[in-house]
Amino acid sequence: MDKFKLKSEYKPAGDQPVAIRQLAEGLAEGKRDQTLLGVTGSGKTFTVANVIQKWQKPTLVIAHNKTLAAQLAAEYREFFPENAVHYFVSYYDFYQPEAYVPITDTYIEKEAQINEDIERLRHAATQALLTRQDVVVVATVSCIYGLGSPVEYEKVNLKLAKGEPMTRATLTRRLTSIYFERTTGDLSPGTFRALGSRVEIMPASERMIYRIDVTGGTIMRVEEIDATTREINARHDAVFIFPARQYVTPKDVQDAALADIEAELKDRLKTLDGAGKLLEAERLKRRTRQDIAMIREFGFCSGIENYSRHFDRRQPGEPPYTLLDYFKACDKDFLTIIDESHVTVPQIGGMYTGDRSRKNTLVEHGFRLPSAVDNRPLKFDEFEKRVGQTIYTSATPGQYELSRSGKPVEQVIRPTGLVDPEIIVRPIVGGVPRTVLKGAQGPSSVPGNYQGQVKDFIAEAELVTKRGGRSMVTVLTKKMAEDLAAYLAEKHIKARYVHSDVKTIERIEILRDFRKGVFDVLVGVNLLREGLDLPEVELVGILDADKEGFLRSDTSLIQTIGRAARNVRGRVLLYADAVTGSMERAIGETNRRREIQIAYNKKHKITPKTIEKRIHDIVGDIERTRKRAVSELTKIDSTAFGGDTAKLVREKRRQMHEAADRLDFETAALIRDEIRVLEGKAKT
């Protein structure tokens, strides 16, 4: 029987059937690498989902940021409702890595805020890989960072079976040995409490409770209960409890690791003393011995990950265990999908270098032992060795993907019939004769009274606004974005700007308001980073398009041009005084796609229509889930539950966890803040 079962109201259309067949055949032929060149809006995720169903192997999908990963995870959950689709990203809400700045003699201590829900989802992903075969994990590049050994993690899982001999004391000791913490209050993931002959356990990966009745030295009942209502959901003959931490170290291994740390410290102190670095030697000795004492006493210390090489029993330079090792344990022939590969591949490649530079400085100045450098992400060649057959997906695949896979599988036709936008090239400055710019491969025209790029864009945007459409314009710097938005406001044009200094929540709200028509022109620097498709956009203006660089490379230009590909009126204005190589390639590729799309529409008598509802865009997801959450929240006010604040807080927590389960962490954060306010009032 097939493990993966795709559920969808849609059938493959346009280029999708051919792309699905070619990719599946490539996998069957044993091709190591393939590239899916899919234009914006062509349904690449749906195509990949069909390939997963055909290939029937556990699949790792890697995205370049948490927001995109959440979007993809939500889509794959819709496609595979009967299978295990999980989300694996960095579990920090905030993370300031440990660092030292020698020039100012500034030591920066590690500061981190762990998101409990994301940590739970990480545990769920690793446990699924050790217990199931029908697993899809959508991850960010955090999947190449160190985790505990999957062998040790699986080895120490605790089986609790009805009828098994067990005392309460034995059960509590065994839970503590796999890093569960005992509590007398409300349970959270990774904790347990003892109530008479019953022990209640909340696994690290779930938001429910197992209640184990150990009357008379035997497990009499194993019940699964709702964490909020306390109702019994199910009764089990047996359950498996995995460790509450992904780093698991048996006692004998811990003793051997501590002995190795002591030996390494001794050798390093000799080296530092010999070099006359007395301050560094004293600093290292004090910190390391304090850490050793903490580990002996409590089995843990702050920054214990810096000793991971010793606890994993790895040799110097040997790579750490990562999520990829859990996939290997599940099925050595797992499939890897690298989404938006033109961004994700370079990101994977750059992680090791930055981490190594920071660690070397800490080691050099006595803040860490040399073995700390082996607590690291994978090098790129190590990553390549650990993944098997790989499909790269992008509208603009990079040279790396193309060199490994050869000719890409193309998905140029959109099921909606929409074609790539028309490109118009106009000069930057005014007073230029009405001519076609030399080298331009797209239609170019200059109005007779032309006054330069800014005023020309304003005139075009005003026409779009009158029709009820939206316009976007990209500039080269944050200052230019702010200044242009202010200038547009002076001209009575409703405009906002976004760039990297605008906080995530505010950026999401700006984009939501843009779609709703609260304002008409969005100004940005690198609008590609939003990971959104905005069907209301009729016009995209690219100022200073001839300034070669990252923001004006052929890849960036094609991606930006794609912002106008969701609207039947889509047009792109490139402002340039000369046509660069990047412009020429971008214009040529866009026109090539247009010709294919127009010919297909003509042959099949398809009339393109503007998309009128979301097509898996994150703003739509957030808006929908927030509206639902707000609707639920309005049903509960301060008078709910007879004014019982404790019950109200429990209900809010339930809603917060439901939002997190939907991967809507923005809504979860809002509810969390409300809980803090309620708890503060209760204390006063």
Side-chain angles (χ1 to χ4, degrees):
M1 291 180 63
D2 289 346
K3 299 185 290 287
F4 290 95
K5 295 180 180 179
L6 176 63
K7 306 286 185 182
S8 176
E9 61 183 281
Y10 303 108
K11 299 294 182 184
D15 281 351
Q16 290 174 341
V18 174
I20 293 165
R21 176 176 55 78
Q22 290 180 343
L23 292 170
E25 287 175 353
L27 291 173
E29 292 167 6
K31 286 186 178 179
R32 177 68 168 69
D33 299 278
Q34 297 182 84
T35 297
L36 173 61
L37 191 163
V39 300
T40 301
S42 63
K44 294 188 288 293
T45 305
F46 184 54
T47 294
V48 170
N50 276 272
V51 173
I52 292 172
Q53 180 181 238
K54 286 180 176 292
W55 191 233
Q56 293 291 314
K57 292 285 185 180
T59 302
L60 170 63
V61 181
I62 307 178
H64 61 85
N65 63 51
K66 288 182 179 181
T67 301
L68 180 58
Q71 176 185 350
L72 289 170
E75 291 177 13
Y76 281 114
R77 283 181 177 179
E78 289 181 9
F79 291 140
F80 297 109
E82 298 178 11
N83 304 116
V85 178
H86 291 280
Y87 177 69
F88 188 96
V89 302
S90 169
Y91 52 39
Y92 297 112
D93 277 337
F94 171 79
Y95 183 69
Q96 170 62 61
E98 181 184 32
Y100 178 66
V101 184
I103 196 169
T104 58
D105 189 27
T106 303
Y107 172 69
I108 303 169
E109 192 170 359
K110 184 181 87 168
E111 186 178 353
Q113 295 175 359
I114 292 177
N115 185 306
E116 185 182 277
D117 283 308
I118 293 179
E119 184 177 25
R120 175 173 57 85
L121 293 171
R122 285 166 63 93
H123 277 284
T126 53
Q127 291 175 21
L129 287 168
L130 295 177
T131 57
R132 301 180 63 158
Q133 290 272 300
D134 60 332
V135 184
V136 175
V137 177
V138 182
T140 56
V141 294
S142 60
C143 68
I144 68 170
Y145 279 79
L147 278 180
S149 163
V151 175
E152 295 296 338
Y153 187 71
E154 185 176 26
K155 187 190 299 181
V156 298
N157 72 73
L158 176 60
K159 182 181 180 181
L160 301 175
K162 185 178 176 181
E164 178 185 352
M166 182 77 67
T167 66
R168 193 183 91 157
T170 301
L171 178 54
T172 57
R173 281 197 301 271
R174 293 186 69 180
L175 288 169
T176 303
S177 72
I178 57 174
Y179 305 107
F180 276 78
E181 295 183 8
R182 187 167 183 169
T183 182
T184 56
D186 288 340
L187 291 174
S188 58
T191 64
F192 73 95
R193 65 187 170 201
L195 305 168
S197 64
R198 296 174 175 179
V199 177
E200 295 185 343
I201 310 161
M202 182 173 283
S205 62
E206 299 176 70
R207 275 284 170 195
M208 42 71 64
I209 296 170
Y210 288 124
R211 185 162 60 197
I212 315 298
D213 188 334
V214 288
T215 303
T218 302
I219 296 178
M220 303 300 293
R221 282 187 297 275
V222 179
E223 297 171 329
E224 178 185 322
I225 62 176
D226 186 280
T228 302
T229 66
R230 310 289 299 172
E231 293 177 354
I232 297 175
N233 292 334
R235 289 184 172 87
H236 301 280
D237 291 330
V239 294
F240 285 91
I241 307 295
F242 279 84
R245 293 185 198 156
Q246 282 160 331
Y247 276 102
V248 178
T249 309
K251 185 67 169 64
D252 59 331
V253 174
Q254 178 178 299
D255 292 341
L258 290 176
D260 287 351
I261 294 170
E262 290 269 20
E264 185 187 11
L265 174 62
K266 185 177 179 181
D267 289 343
R268 182 60 178 166
L269 291 176
K270 282 183 182 179
T271 301
L272 292 173
D273 287 339
K277 294 185 174 182
L278 303 182
L279 173 63
E280 288 83 352
E282 178 60 29
R283 177 188 288 152
L284 182 65
K285 179 171 63 175
R286 185 173 62 252
R287 157 169 276 189
T288 307
R289 286 183 175 164
Q290 181 181 353
D291 286 348
I292 291 171
M294 290 288 290
I295 294 169
R296 280 207 173 101
E297 182 68 24
F298 303 107
F300 187 78
C301 75
S302 177
I304 193 173
E305 65 274 7
N306 289 288
Y307 305 106
S308 62
R309 191 189 83 197
H310 296 293
F311 288 103
D312 291 342
R313 314 310 291 153
R314 290 182 280 128
Q315 295 300 312
E318 194 175 348
Y321 295 107
T322 68
L323 184 68
L324 304 182
D325 293 288
Y326 285 78
F327 267 96
K328 286 283 187 184
C330 178
D331 189 326
K332 62 183 178 62
D333 296 323
F334 70 93
L335 176 64
T336 301
I337 309 295
I338 301 186
D339 192 75
E340 300 293 353
S341 59
H342 64 285
V343 179
T344 308
V345 167
Q347 196 178 67
I348 294 170
M351 288 295 160
Y352 172 78
T353 303
D355 182 83
R356 184 60 184 260
S357 175
R358 179 175 59 83
K359 294 276 179 56
N360 283 344
T361 303
L362 288 167
V363 171
E364 180 185 349
H365 292 87
F367 290 96
R368 287 293 171 193
L369 289 171
S371 58
V373 301
D374 288 321
N375 167 45
R376 60 173 176 84
L378 295 175
K379 300 175 184 177
F380 194 72
D381 63 326
E382 293 168 344
F383 170 79
E384 289 180 308
K385 291 174 184 175
R386 281 159 177 73
V387 296
Q389 290 181 285
T390 302
I391 296 174
Y392 307 92
T393 70
S394 174
T396 53
Q399 200 56 46
Y400 171 84
E401 303 94 286
L402 295 176
S403 66
R404 291 179 66 89
S405 63
K407 186 178 179 181
V409 174
E410 288 200 344
Q411 191 167 292
V412 176
I413 306 300
R414 296 180 178 87
T416 58
L418 285 168
V419 302
D420 278 27
E422 175 189 12
I423 298 177
I424 300 169
V425 181
R426 289 180 180 168
I428 293 173
V429 298
V432 177
R434 183 170 180 160
T435 59
V436 175
L437 292 176
K438 185 179 179 181
Q441 294 188 14
S444 305
S445 63
V446 182
N449 59 347
Y450 192 74
Q451 299 181 58
Q453 61 179 355
V454 173
K455 290 187 177 179
D456 182 72
F457 173 77
I458 289 173
E460 295 286 352
E462 286 176 334
L463 294 174
V464 169
T465 300
K466 287 179 182 177
R467 288 197 299 265
R470 315 277 187 279
S471 302
M472 294 169 62
V473 57
T474 66
V475 295
L476 292 172
T477 67
K478 298 174 188 176
K479 183 68 164 57
M480 290 172 68
E482 294 171 8
D483 289 347
L484 180 55
Y487 180 76
L488 291 171
E490 289 176 6
K491 298 295 182 183
H492 306 292
I493 294 172
K494 292 183 286 185
R496 298 283 300 275
Y497 67 83
V498 290
H499 54 58
S500 59
D501 287 347
V502 178
K503 293 181 180 179
T504 302
I505 298 296
E506 184 181 354
R507 189 164 63 240
I508 291 168
E509 290 171 348
I510 288 171
L511 290 166
R512 179 196 62 199
D513 289 346
F514 182 51
R515 293 198 63 186
K516 290 170 66 177
V518 175
F519 64 95
D520 304 307
V521 179
L522 179 67
V523 185
V525 179
N526 182 11
L527 290 168
L528 310 179
R529 69 189 298 276
E530 307 305 331
L532 300 171
D533 296 302
L534 309 171
E536 297 80 8
V537 173
E538 292 186 16
L539 176 68
V540 171
I542 303 178
L543 304 190
D544 302 301
D546 57 359
K547 303 299 186 289
E548 282 275 22
F550 169 70
L551 293 175
R552 298 296 181 264
S553 66
D554 52 349
T555 296
S556 291
L557 288 173
I558 291 172
Q559 291 279 346
T560 306
I561 288 165
R563 295 295 179 188
R566 294 282 190 174
N567 194 295
V568 72
R569 294 177 179 270
R571 288 184 307 138
V572 178
L573 295 172
L574 295 180
Y575 293 98
D577 288 331
V579 174
T580 64
S582 292
M583 285 177 61
E584 193 169 345
R585 289 188 293 274
I587 293 169
E589 175 62 13
T590 302
N591 287 341
R592 181 186 75 85
R593 296 176 183 180
R594 274 178 61 85
E595 289 174 6
I596 295 171
Q597 293 157 352
I598 290 169
Y600 182 90
N601 288 348
K602 186 175 180 180
K603 179 179 178 180
H604 294 86
K605 298 180 180 179
I606 295 173
T607 302
K609 292 183 179 179
T610 298
I611 297 168
E612 296 181 353
K613 60 181 181 180
R614 73 176 187 93
I615 296 186
H616 300 304
D617 71 88
I618 196 66
V619 163
D621 285 340
I622 290 171
E623 181 70 6
R624 181 184 60 177
T625 52
R626 274 191 174 178
K627 282 181 178 178
R628 182 166 57 220
V630 169
S631 175
E632 292 174 355
L633 290 171
T634 55
K635 298 175 185 176
I636 301 172
D637 57 25
S638 58
T639 62
F641 303 106
D644 187 330
T645 303
K647 288 184 178 179
L648 177 57
V649 167
R650 283 198 293 272
E651 177 60 21
K652 294 279 189 182
R653 286 191 186 281
R654 182 191 65 77
Q655 294 175 6
M656 178 179 72
H657 298 318
E658 281 187 359
D661 288 339
R662 295 193 302 266
L663 307 183
D664 178 13
F665 297 106
E666 288 79 12
T667 297
L670 290 174
I671 302 173
R672 180 195 61 196
D673 293 342
E674 287 194 348
I675 291 170
R676 288 174 178 170
V677 171
L678 287 169
E679 289 177 333
K681 288 180 178 178
K683 289 178 182 178
T684 58

